[in-house]
């Protein structure tokens, strides 16, 4: 019988490996295996047809040891508590890898937002916000966008939280629209971080810094911006996809045209450039390219397709796109993987800048934001690479080692209450 994929189990396996490499006593990291708090809420909303419908939502706070919890909110029909728990833990590790003073959290609503009208989506968001209000706040837990949520949704969260407190509290959420305290550079931040890590990896591997053939799964916030920036840096984006499927063009796609098509139609379906051919999302994972950048969902590279991956380098833009079994196969094949907790950390770094601007009531210019982001990403890459070389481990295990050592140090410094 096939064992169902469990992202939380996936996370625990890598955590154990990293703790073992660090020579930690189980006592020192046992609590990192458990989220601090899990909240499950029911969200009744009035549908446009006058009927009431109940949705299920979650907010999981994995750790507040190094600072307030931080993590996105995902709207997806198949989301479950184990996925949210794993995503929350990855946020803790990610914030530690890039050394920003946050812990990790994640939230989700089990819903297919494409089936809701805009006003239903707004009521859902506002009611979900009200349901998790006891545990969120600028000093406690700060949500952000994730799959199927965006700046507009973050604006509704900010407004709901502020109305229920009686004054404007922009620092409760990041990824907001600019005119209510959002930050310049935040919409592009995750993709910008992905492109910075891609360039650092290419340099490290002695691969050309231009004209490399890249395949990108997912053309939403992360994939779309990664494609744009890597294309601008002179690479050939040979394949892209979204939930409707993908397109392959060996001599490179016209990325501005692809993005314009998606912006106009809301989907890649029907896009047919000269010389391009339709592919499925499975074919994209196995397509002829040097770099594969999964930017959609978790568990896309599995033991079923890892052997067929042709890329030499994988940059994880999505959270958890590679299953543990696939990791082993890819490592044996010599494929280098930049793990999610390093490569997609640009989003939370600029979210942190947004929050800092909100609580200090000032604004940074975009050059300052992008330059500081680059410095942090390049430094974090160098620190992970140093562990790779000194401890002879993969980039994933090295990134976990960096994160876990920081967490354990912070825990030891704080001591165990009471
Ligand atoms: P998004 O909703 O903007 O885009 C998701 C993209 O994936 C869309 O193009 C969608 O069509 C596609 N997709 C959905 N299901 C798919 C499937 N089954 N197969 C192929 N494609 C599919 O979401 P996003 O914000 O770009 O997030 C993408 C990934 O990056 C997620 O794993 C998310 O957790 C992670 N991430 C996002 C951020 C951020 O700042 N938005 C930060 C760090 C990590």
């Amino acid at each position: 019988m096939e064992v169902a994929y469990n992202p939380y189990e996936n996370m625990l396996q890598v955590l154990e490996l990293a703790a073992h490499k660090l020579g930690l006593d189980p006592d020192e990291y046992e609590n990192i295996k458990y989220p601090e708090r899990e909240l499950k809420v029911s969200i009744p909303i009035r549908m446009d047809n006058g009927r009431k419908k109940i949705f299920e939502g979650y907010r999981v706070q994995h750790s507040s040891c190094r600072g307030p919890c931080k993590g996105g909110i995902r709207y997806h029909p198949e989301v479950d508590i184990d996925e949210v728990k794993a995503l929350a833990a990855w946020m803790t590790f990610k914030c530690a890898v890039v050394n920003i003073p946050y812990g990790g959290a994640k939230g989700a609503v089990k819903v297919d937002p494409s089936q809701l009208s805009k006003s239903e989506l707004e009521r859902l968001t506002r009611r979900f916000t009200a349901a998790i209000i006891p545990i969120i706040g600028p000093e406690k837990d700060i949500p952000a966008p994730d799959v199927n949520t965006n700046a507009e949704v973050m604006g509704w969260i900010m407004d709901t939280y502020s109305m229920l407190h009686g004054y404007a509290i922009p620092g409760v959420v990041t990824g907001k629209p600019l005119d209510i305290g959002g930050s310049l550079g935040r919409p592009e931040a995750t993709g910008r971080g992905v492109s910075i890590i891609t360039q650092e990896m290419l340099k490290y591997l002695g691969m050309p810094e231009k004209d490399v053939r890249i395949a990108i799964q997912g053309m939403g916030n992360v994939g779309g911006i990664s494609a744009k920036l890597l294309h601008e840096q002179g690479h050939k984006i040979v394949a892209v996809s979204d939930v409707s499927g993908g397109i392959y063009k060996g001599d490179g796609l016209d990325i501005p045209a692809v993005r314009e098509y998606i912006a106009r139609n809301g989907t890649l379906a029907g896009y047919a450039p000269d010389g391009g051919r339709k592919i499925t999302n499975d074919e994209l994972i196995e397509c002829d390219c040097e770099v594969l950048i999964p930017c959609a969902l978790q568990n896309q590279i599995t033991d079923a397709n890892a052997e067929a991956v042709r890329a030499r380098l994988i940059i994880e833009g999505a959270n958890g796109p590679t299953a543990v079994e696939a990791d082993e196969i890819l490592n044996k094949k010599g494929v280098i993987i930049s793990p999610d907790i390093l490569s997609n950390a640009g989003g939370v770094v600029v979210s942190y800048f947004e929050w800092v601007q909100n609580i200090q009531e000032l604004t940074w210019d975009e050059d300052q934001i992008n330059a500081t982001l680059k410095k942090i990403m390049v430094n974090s890459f160098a620190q992970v690479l140093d562990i790779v070389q000194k401890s002879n481990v993969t980039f994933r295990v090295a990134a976990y080692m960096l994160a876990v050592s920081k967490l354990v140090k912070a825990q030891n410094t704080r001591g165990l209450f009471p």
Side-chain angles (χ1 to χ4, degrees), residues 74-76 78 87 90-91 94 106 144-150 186-191 194 217-224 241-245 262 266-268 281-282 294-298 300 316-321 340 343-348 351:
R74 170 174 294 196
Y75 288 171
H76 199 275
E78 275 134 42
L87 288 160
W90 287 327
M91 286 306 299
K94 197 177 298 183
K106 204 82 179 190
D146 193 71
V147 174
N148 291 328
T149 58
N150 56 19
R186 176 59 186 91
E188 300 82 18
T190 310
V194 166
Q217 185 194 43
M219 277 296 276
N221 175 273
V222 182
S241 71
D242 68 6
V243 68
S244 72
I262 295 174
T267 168
L268 191 62
N281 266 294
D282 288 340
C295 298
L297 293 175
Q298 62 279 359
Q300 297 301 300
E316 294 184 338
N319 285 309
D340 45 11
S343 31
N344 71 28
V348 76
S351 271

Side-chain angles (χ1 to χ4, degrees), residues 281-344:
N281 266 294
D282 288 340
E283 285 166 340
L284 183 138
I285 300 289
E286 303 172 7
C287 79
D288 193 14
C289 63
E290 280 90 39
V291 183
L292 173 62
I293 313 188
C295 298
L297 293 175
Q298 62 279 359
N299 201 29
Q300 297 301 300
I301 311 175
T302 66
D303 55 357
N305 60 7
E307 200 58 66
V309 166
R310 282 191 265 178
R312 187 178 160 200
L313 172 63
I314 296 175
I315 307 285
E316 294 184 338
N319 285 309
T322 316
V324 166
E325 305 74 32
D327 231 8
E328 281 170 22
I329 298 168
L330 293 164
N331 292 339
K332 279 200 193 112
K333 274 166 61 107
V335 178
I336 303 293
I337 307 172
S338 173
D340 45 11
I341 59 170
L342 171 65
S343 31
N344 71 28

Side-chain angles (χ1 to χ4, degrees), residues 121-137:
L121 194 66
E122 178 173 351
R123 288 195 289 279
L124 178 82
T125 302
R126 289 184 181 279
R127 184 64 192 236
F128 176 57
T129 307
I132 63 171
I133 260 186
I135 66 165
I136 61 167

